[in-house]
């Protein structure tokens, strides 16, 4: 039950979490290399990146926040509870696209971890999260993904709650 009800902060786990990772997360930024069943259940905010397999029932009751999952075997949708979320492909950010809400490598302050506008810049945000993860943990998995970024990015999916996306728009 790591990050159960987390409201803020950053957490980087060089390894696989058990069941109920980031349940009721409402504001933390986290990277983990895999999860058991019920990951991101009832999540209301924050950003989670999973660099490996998830268990079943991922995102059940997820009403906010965003999750990125490395779907290496192409079967994540079978393990995701699709009742409240959409699972979308992530495309590279257009070169030179400017605008507000861009993610940044450094946090702005203790209340803003530099994740930017959750509707846009997913590839850029995800890369920043992986770079932080590698920096803080020395993760070989993160390094492998970053070293083949163009190919790896095609294997990631974005899990976005439908109502949250509508509210942000």
């Amino acid at each position: 039950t790591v990050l159960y009800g987390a409201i803020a902060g950053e957490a980087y786990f060089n390894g696989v979490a058990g069941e109920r990772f980031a349940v009721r997360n409402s504001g933390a930024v986290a990277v983990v290399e895999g999860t058991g069943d019920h990951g991101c259940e009832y999540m209301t905010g924050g950003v989670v990146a999973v660099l490996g397999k998830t268990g079943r029932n991922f995102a059940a009751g997820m009403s906010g926040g965003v999750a990125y999952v490395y779907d290496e075997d192409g079967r994540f949708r079978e393990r995701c509870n699709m009742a409240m979320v959409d699972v979308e492909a992530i495309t590279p950010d257009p070169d030179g696209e400017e605008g507000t809400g861009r993610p940044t490598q450094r946090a702005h302050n203790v209340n803003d971890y530099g994740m930017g506008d959750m509707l846009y810049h997913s590839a850029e945000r995800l890369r920043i999260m992986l770079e932080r993860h590698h920096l803080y943990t020395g993760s070989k998995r993160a390094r492998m993904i970053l070293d083949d970024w163009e190919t790896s990015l095609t294997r990631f999916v974005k899990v976005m709650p439908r109502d949250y996306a509508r509210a942000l728009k």
Side-chain angles (χ1 to χ4, degrees):
T1 58
V2 176
L3 297 177
Y4 189 96
I7 60 169
E10 294 179 75
Y12 301 92
F13 299 95
N14 189 355
V16 177
E19 294 185 0
R20 294 193 157 81
F21 180 80
V23 170
R24 297 192 188 280
N25 176 21
S26 64
V29 173
V31 180
V32 66
E33 299 187 359
T35 68
D37 295 342
H38 315 291
C40 298
E41 187 177 42
Y42 303 116
M43 194 166 129
T44 62
V47 186
V48 171
V50 181
L51 309 185
K53 229 177 192 180
T54 68
R56 63 185 175 82
N57 205 34
F58 190 91
M62 183 178 177
S63 61
V66 174
Y68 300 103
V69 177
Y70 190 66
D71 187 15
E72 195 166 16
D73 65 3
R75 300 184 65 196
F76 170 72
R77 284 175 176 80
E78 296 171 20
R79 297 184 297 272
C80 185
N81 186 320
M82 303 290 289
M84 296 176 67
V85 300
D86 290 322
V87 176
E88 310 164 356
I90 300 172
T91 57
D93 295 313
D95 290 334
E97 182 182 313
E98 297 300 323
T100 60
R102 292 185 77 89
T104 60
Q105 186 57 262
R106 293 182 157 213
H108 298 285
N109 57 54
V110 297
N111 298 311
D112 182 350
Y113 303 106
M115 293 290 101
D117 186 333
M118 291 299 134
L119 288 174
Y120 308 103
H121 313 296
S122 287
E124 191 174 345
R125 177 178 308 102
L126 182 58
R127 184 171 181 108
I128 287 169
M129 292 175 73
L130 266 70
E131 288 170 348
R132 289 180 186 180
H133 181 61
H134 181 260
L135 175 68
Y136 298 139
T137 70
S139 166
K140 291 178 183 174
R141 184 135 179 95
R143 181 77 271 150
M144 176 198 73
I145 291 169
L146 288 166
D147 285 346
D148 191 18
W149 182 244
E150 287 183 24
T151 301
S152 296
L153 185 59
T154 65
R155 293 187 179 123
F156 274 98
V157 293
K158 178 180 182 178
V159 181
M160 181 71 150
R162 285 186 283 281
D163 289 343
Y164 181 58
R166 273 195 294 273
L168 290 176
K169 289 177 184 172

